[in-house]
Amino acid sequence: MKKIQVYLAGDSTVQTYEKDESPQAGWGQYIDQYCKRNIIFHNHAIGGRSTKTFVEESRLDAILEEISANDYLLIQMGHNDSSINRPERYTEPSTTYKQYLRLYIDGARKKHAIPILITPVGRLHVVHGKFINDFPNYCQAMKEVAEEKNVPLIDLNYISLNYFTSIGYEAAEKLFMISVDGEDCTHYTEAGAEKVAEMVAKELMEMISEEENF
């Protein structure tokens, strides 16, 4: 069976954590459990990075040096791009954020690889009983780039917030580190990361199946 290589560019919600950092986890460390065995994942995601700093630190270059024709590049960025109080990583959604996303897309396509955009996964944020998208401008900007560049998009923000709504706040809270440290409404426990990995895998498998004719 043909091996399919998938590269992940993302932040702390995607990255692979060491055992001593448990129970914090990222969805990138579990996604292989929900995909076919011939799909090999290379998780380059790392905490605290935005589209901008990931590029500036040559992390995108490292992926592009490895990636080959017909491989996939999954790009989930936005959490740290929105840090307006951190100018070193902030990007403005309608301008610089889009410009950096295009670098990932164009870089992958130059190597004849297949880019897939992923909107930033949802946080545990409820107002008047409703789960809130904390990154609406970034989600919209990413969708506009996806349409402009004809790139597949997984709307993980929408999918994850819908899931949290379906299970309710108390159950959703257990998926986040706030259930451990009483504070963190952004990062996931192992259970949460596994669930998000399942969400991404479902969408990814449908896209790969269309491309590869499984």
Side-chain angles (χ1 to χ4, degrees):
M1 186 178 287
K2 175 186 173 184
K3 298 283 187 186
I4 296 173
Q5 309 291 332
V6 179
Y7 291 80
L8 307 181
D11 53 35
S12 56
T13 63
V14 186
Q15 79 171 67
T16 297
Y17 288 81
E18 300 295 335
K19 289 183 178 179
D20 62 3
E21 298 176 282
S22 176
Q24 187 167 328
W27 62 257
Q29 70 193 75
Y30 294 110
I31 190 168
D32 61 337
Q33 298 179 14
Y34 299 97
C35 292
K36 293 179 181 290
R37 291 184 180 178
N38 66 315
I39 300 178
I40 311 300
F41 288 90
H42 306 270
N43 192 359
H44 287 253
I46 186 165
R49 272 60 176 188
S50 64
T51 54
K52 176 183 177 182
T53 54
F54 199 87
V55 168
E56 290 177 341
E57 295 174 4
S58 299
R59 296 179 186 278
L60 176 59
D61 287 341
I63 293 174
L64 297 179
E65 286 175 7
E66 294 181 25
I67 205 166
S68 299
N70 302 314
D71 292 347
Y72 290 81
L73 174 59
L74 273 56
I75 306 141
Q76 185 212 275
M77 294 284 188
H79 282 79
N80 297 307
D81 288 81
S82 67
S83 303
I84 196 166
N85 60 331
R86 299 283 296 276
E88 70 277 10
R89 66 187 190 185
Y90 173 72
T91 63
E92 200 280 325
S94 64
T95 56
T96 46
Y97 180 63
K98 286 185 172 183
Q99 291 165 12
Y100 278 105
L101 287 177
R102 294 185 190 107
L103 289 180
Y104 292 73
I105 294 165
D106 293 343
R109 285 178 167 168
K110 188 174 182 180
K111 298 295 293 284
H112 304 287
I114 303 162
I116 296 176
L117 295 174
I118 303 177
T119 58
V121 67
R123 298 177 69 250
L124 187 71
H125 185 186
V126 171
V127 175
H128 302 306
K130 181 180 179 180
F131 283 91
I132 301 298
N133 176 0
D134 285 331
F135 315 99
N137 295 334
Y138 291 88
C139 290
Q140 182 58 35
M142 182 177 277
K143 290 173 184 176
E144 289 171 3
V145 171
E147 183 174 358
E148 168 200 329
K149 304 288 279 184
N150 193 26
V151 174
L153 179 138
I154 297 172
D155 194 352
L156 185 56
N157 189 276
Y158 175 82
I159 294 167
S160 58
L161 292 181
N162 266 7
Y163 176 72
F164 302 153
T165 299
S166 73
I167 64 174
Y169 185 88
E170 287 187 11
E173 185 180 51
K174 295 175 183 176
L175 304 179
F176 287 84
M177 284 297 293
I178 189 175
S179 63
V180 178
D181 61 21
E183 297 178 353
D184 189 346
C185 292
T186 297
H187 298 101
Y188 289 88
T189 60
E190 289 152 346
E194 285 194 50
K195 188 62 191 179
V196 175
E198 184 180 3
M199 297 174 194
V200 178
K202 179 178 182 296
E203 300 297 314
L204 177 63
M205 287 305 303
E206 291 178 2
M207 291 177 176
I208 290 181
S209 294
E210 291 176 4
E211 289 281 344
E212 306 291 335
N213 295 316
F214 282 166

